[in-house]
Amino acid sequence: GEHGLVAAQEDLDGSYEWGCVGTDINGNNSSLSPELKAIGAGLENTLEIVSGCSETPIAASEALAYESEGYSDWYWPSEYELVEMFTTLGSGGLDGNIGGFENSMYWSSSEENSGWAWLVNSSDGSASSAFKTGSFRVRVIRAF
């Protein structure tokens, strides 16, 4: 009956573009779909991005290819999953940055529209959007 999310112990190597500028992966006006940002949306977002975007390497393809600690079911977190990660394991957590996050911006799997996607500032958990060609850090998660 127990369930939750687990963050990888390290970022993916390097930084990545979100990918597929000009393609609205989640359909027209995805910025108006709060369910794409929700906790629990990351896996579906990741699968849809890989299915709808043939560019590689991008954050989504690298997230699905990640293997660590004997697990291969990692995926790219949604905006709210990423915010939760930073406010519990990052600088916003009671124990400080126990997740070892860089003082950086991290891409989420949540798209705003065909040109922009959401990212989260690891220092304070605030979200903003950026052009999909920006190169930012990525941390993956898995659910149990």
Side-chain angles (χ1 to χ4, degrees), residues 33-97:
S33 303
E35 66 273 7
L36 300 174
K37 297 178 169 192
I39 291 177
L43 177 58
E44 184 63 30
N45 289 349
T46 306
L47 294 172
E48 285 187 21
I49 295 162
V50 169
S51 174
C53 181
S54 61
E55 291 178 25
T56 58
I58 58 172
S61 61
E62 294 300 302
L64 286 182
Y66 184 76
E67 293 186 21
S68 180
E69 303 169 43
Y71 296 99
S72 59
D73 58 347
W74 301 93
Y75 59 91
W76 189 15
S78 69
E79 178 189 335
Y80 295 168
E81 288 168 334
L82 198 55
V83 168
E84 183 70 18
M85 187 186 320
F86 293 137
T87 57
T88 56
L89 302 174
S91 303
L94 295 175
D95 297 322
N97 187 10

Side-chain angles (χ1 to χ4, degrees), residues 89-140:
L89 302 174
S91 303
L94 295 175
D95 297 322
N97 187 10
I98 62 173
F101 299 100
E102 298 290 327
N103 186 18
S104 183
M105 301 298 281
Y106 283 75
W107 274 127
S108 81
S109 63
S110 301
E111 180 179 50
E112 182 175 16
N113 56 42
S114 65
W116 296 73
W118 292 97
L119 40 81
V120 178
N121 186 330
S122 67
S123 65
D124 63 7
S126 63
S128 59
S129 61
F131 201 57
K132 289 179 177 180
T133 57
S135 189
F136 297 102
R137 305 209 51 90
V138 176
R139 179 75 63 104
V140 297

